[in-house]
Each structure stands twice: as C-alpha cells, then as structure tokens.
Amino acid sequence: MAVFVKGVIFDGVDTTQPDCWRLAAYEARGGYQALRSILQAQMPQEDVIAEVKNSGLRGRGGAGFPTGLKWSFMPRSFPGDKYVVCNTDEGEPGTFKDRDILRYNPHALIEGMIIAGYAMGTRVGYNYIHGEIFAEYELFEAALDEARAAGYLGENILGTGFSFDLFAHHGYGAYICGEETALLESLEGKKGQPRFKPPFPASFGLYGKPTTINNTESFASVPFIIRDGAQKFLEAGKPNNGGTKLFSVSGHVNRPGNYEIPLGTPFSALLEMAGGMKDGSRLKAVIPGGSSAPVLPGEVMMDLTMDYDSISKAGSMLGSGAVIVMNDQVCMVKALERLAYFYHEESCGQCTPCREGTGWLYRVIHRIENGQGRPEDLDLLNSVGNNMAGRTICALADAAVFPVRSFTKHFRDEFEYHIEHRKCLVEHKWC
Amino acid sequence: MLTAESLALIDREVAKYPADQARSAVMSALRIALEERRQTGTVPEERCLTTEVIEFVANYLGIPPVAAYEVATFYNMYDMKPVGKYKITVCTNLPCALRGGVDTANYISRKLGIGLGETTPDGKFTLLEGECMGACGDAPVLLLNNHSMCSFMTPEAIDKKLAELE
Ligand SMILES: Cc1cc2nc3c(=O)[nH]c(=O)nc-3n(C[C@H](O)[C@H](O)[C@H](O)COP(=O)(O)O)c2cc1C
Ligand code: SF4
Ligand code: FES
C-alpha cells in the first residue's frame, strides 16, 4: 500500500498504473527537465550545490546530515576517479520507503544521481540495493537501460560533453551494509565490516577514491529542488526541515504504508491518514524513526510534529522516518526482546563491546521475558549499555542500546513486574 | 562447472566495475552460481554452494578463493547448507510480528510438519526465520527462494501459495 498525500518525490505518480515507473511516464511528469536545464545552461557546479544547500534537504537515511553541505566536501577538481553511491540497503526494521521509490519512481533517483555526479565532478555511480528486494533490483536495472537508451546515461549525455554512468549492485542479507563504510567494503566485494572514520568517504571512499554516499530518498528529492527551486522545497516543510518526507507507517494501524507529507505535519494527522489505530485499539507507544530510534509513549507522540527538530527535542530521532505504532496489547518486554535479538544477530563482530554487548543485552532481556529475570537485571542492562555506546567503530552498538534505554525508561513498570511476577503485565496477543 | 549462460551473466556483472576491480562482482557471481544450482539440483545437497563452486567462482574472477569464501559465509542469503526446492524465509522482526509474522511462521511450521531451520524429508521445503526485508508495510511477509517477496501472508494466502508450489 502506498499513499502519497502531497509529495516532492511522488507528485503525480499514479501507483495503480503498472507503467508508472517507466521513462515515458516520468518524462510526462516533467522528469529529466532538471538535468536538461543544468546541462544546457552549463550551470556551474557550485551553483547546483548551493541550490541543494538552500533547500534545507537533510539526509533521509537516518542521520539527517545536510545534503548540500556533504556534497561541498567532495574535492570537485581532484583529477582522478571519484564516485557517487546511493544507499538503497534499506534494512532498518520498520523502513520500506526506498523500495517504493525503486518500484514506482526509479527515474527520480537516476536523475538525482546524474545531477549529483555533475555537481561533484564524478563520472560513475553505483546504487547498492538490499538483497531481499531482488525484484526491485531487476526493475532498477531495466530503468537504467531505458535511461541509457534515451541518452541520459553514458558518454556525452544529451550531446553536452558530460559523461556519467550508473550501475546497480545488490547486497545479500546483511543489515550492517546500510552503514556507509560497510556498504563501500561490500561494494568492493568484501565482508561488510565498517571502516574506522576518519578518513571519511569524501577523501577515502570506494576503491580508496573520493566518494559521496546518500540515501535513495535524498537523491530522489534533487530533481524537484533543481526544477522547482530550493525555496519551493524548503517551503514544503518547515525551517531547518525542508521538504516533504516519506514516512513508513507499520504496526497497529488500519492502513500501513508509505505517506509522503510535509515535514512538520502533526503525528496525529499522520496516524489518521494511516486509518487510525487498528480496530479502534488504544495507542501505547511509537518508535518514530526506525528500530534504532528511542521509543516514545503514545501520549508524548500525540503532541509532536513529524520533523527532525520536534522528535529530537522529545528525546528520540526522526531517523529513516519509519513509524512503528504499538497498541496497548503489546508487551514491551517481548517487543524489546525481538529488537535486541536483531542487533545481536546483525552485529558484524569487529568490536568487542558490540559483539559481546549485543549478546548480553539479548540474553538478559530474554531471561526477563521468560520469567527468569533477576532484581539486578535492569541495572545490568544499563551498565552493559554504558560500556557499548560510543565505544565502537560504527553506530550499530548505539542503535542497539537506544531501544534498551528508552524501553526500560518509559515502560519500567512492565519490566519490574516481569521480574517480580515472572509473567507479562500485559496479556499480549501479537506473538 | 557453471553453464555458459551463468558465465555470461557473471561477465555482465564484471563489466560494471573498473577493469582491476573484478572482485566487486563476487556478490553477484555467487548469487548467479547459487541460482543455477537451485534450478538444476535435484536433492537439497545439490542446491547450495559448496567449496568447489566457491573456488570456481573465485578462480573465474581471478581472486583468492578465501576472499570469495568469506563473502559467501558473511551474507546470510547464500545457502551454505542443503536447502529444499522451496526455501521459505518468514520475517519475524518487530514490525512484522505486530501484524502476525510469528503466527505466519508457526502456521507454516505446523502445516509442513517441520521446525524453523528444518527441511521436509522429501527435500521440498525449507523453513527459515529472517530479519527485516524492507517490506513491513505488507506484513506479514515471506521471501520465497531468496528473490520472490510474498506479501500479506495470512493463513489463507499461505494455503494458496503452498498449493501453487509443485
Ligand atoms: C547500522 C547502520 C545502518 C544503516 N542503515 C542505513 C540504510 O539502510 N539506509 C541508509 O540510507 N542509511 C543507513 N545508515 C546511515 C548511513 O550510514 C549513511 O549515513 C546514509 O546512507 C547517508 O545518506 P544521507 O545523508 O542521504 O542520509 C545506517 C547507519 C548505521 C550505523
Ligand atoms: S559497532 Fe558492531 S556492527 Fe559496528 S563495526 Fe563494531 S562490531 Fe561491527
Ligand atoms: S519487519 Fe518484516 S519486512 Fe520489515
């Protein structure tokens, strides 16, 4: 299910039409006009980057880093090879927006990446696609063939002397490859183990060359910014939170799906668009930005707007925009156990605090859930977490600790009840 | 060891990367090799990657066999163990679990008479539990033979799907 209410990326895309992803449909919606205008006017690279900066676009992959600023770090005039890389390794539990971009509007991503290539002086790009969505990988390759045949990709694009080519690469089942340096390792044909930073990819990226990595949704927003102007994009959202954003709503709502809405929209309005709570049940908790974001109680969420600043002020993160909605039948110990298992399973094992710590977190939560919790376990979880967060090569360890801290903070009574009475406070029916 | 068609597919992948970076194609090459074995194998032991196949792929790309082996074992969609004709991976991560993902796994398990991680004695089905597939809006979801995503897998939908598989 995909519903796009007011969109930058999905404006005019009729997802019920099987051909909506095709080049002809994209061109009919004004596609590739942004690229044409840049190439025909030979727009200076720094002007393109300035436009992206002025739009207020912040990275849609999780960290929310300003995209234009990231592009300005690339050594544009460095004469050797340089790369742009797209991160479609969407595997953060709750996130399924990039898959819909590939399914319904892949040319927006392709055009955005060509423009990025132009702005940063690169001739080659790669899109790294999550292995589990293989059908979308194949569809993206078909879209690349269309773009190549129409002269948008390859040598001497539209006869302007600018050359750029783009290729798809697939993962094969490893969440950690969503982390940008693990992704680069994987693209080089290695195990997906994150690199130490610095050096950052802008100076030492793919094959050791300067590289810029952005999320699918970030790149796919660029054609709109160039065609309609930074100001219009900025105004679609709110200050410091430019644009619309795709929210993947999952869990206990009547209509799970993707919703593209202005940043700054109240959470209550988003919940209503998603059909409200499933079967009229009561809202208990929301994870507002993918499984790595701290959980917030339902009543806190009902007062928030969906944008980077509002969610972070409330103590969580907008992250990837994955909104996981839970009703009052959810046992929070059970829910956390499932997430803890995931991080334990997906740790790449390079750093001892993460490799051992994620195992500890899972085992302790598992024993609480199974009626074997000990009075000191909540303190133990806290101290294990303190020994992990900020002490590892990449942020997966922090991502594993955030849910533990927030679940045990906001729903402490449920954990205590479990430990004391050896059973759930909530008679859950969901698993 | 691999057919001419598979080798041609691998060549196409190699061409995506700089001339001295054939190693980048190892992920697709292993996928292509595995796919050929899945389609031609007649028993579970013939449908997974073996050391010989991995070595062949490595030699074809001109990389050390251990480099290919490392990749085959790091990424969990490469089948390194015998696998049924139909490999069913059910997502049981939290967003799917909230919409019946665990029930789906249990239902299939009862229907096939096997536990998670097991293969039916006739070698037809293998049932596995998987992590988020980036399709949580369609929960519950399962992945059939690595490449085919099946959405909204209610008991009725499962019955229908299993009946289709011969
Ligand atoms: C464990 C982990 C998993 C991640 N997974 C993803 C992902 O699936 N997709 C994504 O775009 N970014 C992911 N990221 C963030 C990337 O490292 C990177 O910040 C992002 O792709 C940059 O693009 P952006 O600036 O456009 O957001 C992940 C980070 C970590 C630490
Ligand atoms: S923090 Fe965890 S996932 Fe990240 S590099 Fe270290 S061990 Fe690997
Ligand atoms: S949690 Fe099942 S696909 Fe994301």
Side-chain angles (χ1 to χ4, degrees), chain A residues 6-10 57 60 217 221 233 236-237 241-247 260-263:
Chain A
K6 170 174 179 290
V8 160
I9 295 176
F10 283 102
L57 173 63
R60 303 304 198 215
E217 189 185 350
S221 303
F233 184 83
N241 297 268
T244 57
K245 167 97 189 77
L246 279 161
F247 290 101
E260 187 175 26
I261 54 173
L263 281 169

Side-chain angles (χ1 to χ4, degrees), chain A residues 1 83 90-96 99 126 128 130-134 137 141 167-174 176-177 186-193 207 250-253 256 278 324-326 330 335 338-339 341-342 345-346 430-431, chain B residues 12-13 15-18 21 23-29 31 34-35 38 63 67 70-71 74-78 91-95 97-103 129-138 143 145-149 151-152:
Chain A
M1 169 117 177
Y83 298 98
E90 189 170 58
E92 169 91 356
T95 319
F96 48 91
R99 176 182 180 221
Y126 292 97
Y128 187 106
H130 200 218
E132 283 83 346
I133 53 167
F134 200 76
Y137 167 81
E141 294 229 295
F167 304 97
H169 180 105
H170 66 74
Y172 227 51
I176 190 58
C177 292
S186 184
L187 198 42
E188 292 180 3
K190 301 174 186 157
K191 290 185 286 184
Q193 293 190 319
Y207 310 127
S250 65
H252 292 142
V253 294
K278 188 163 178 257
I324 307 170
V325 178
M326 292 176 266
V330 175
R338 193 57 193 79
L339 293 180
Y341 177 81
F342 169 72
E345 176 72 25
E346 298 296 332
W430 55 280
C431 67
Chain B
R12 231 182 58 117
E13 296 298 324
K16 293 178 178 177
Y17 308 97
Q21 298 291 349
R23 183 174 180 173
S24 280
V26 68
M27 294 188 66
S28 328
R31 185 252 307 160
L34 177 60
E35 205 46 39
R38 182 189 308 290
I63 64 174
E70 253 179 25
V71 166
F74 184 85
Y75 298 90
N76 61 35
M77 285 168 68
Y78 296 112
C91 176
T92 55
N93 208 309
L94 180 63
L98 293 172
R99 298 188 75 84
V102 178
D103 297 337
E129 195 177 20
E131 295 301 344
C132 182
M133 298 161 181
C136 342
D138 300 349
L143 206 53
N145 287 345
N146 288 340
H147 294 168
S148 165
M149 183 87 71
S151 304
F152 306 109

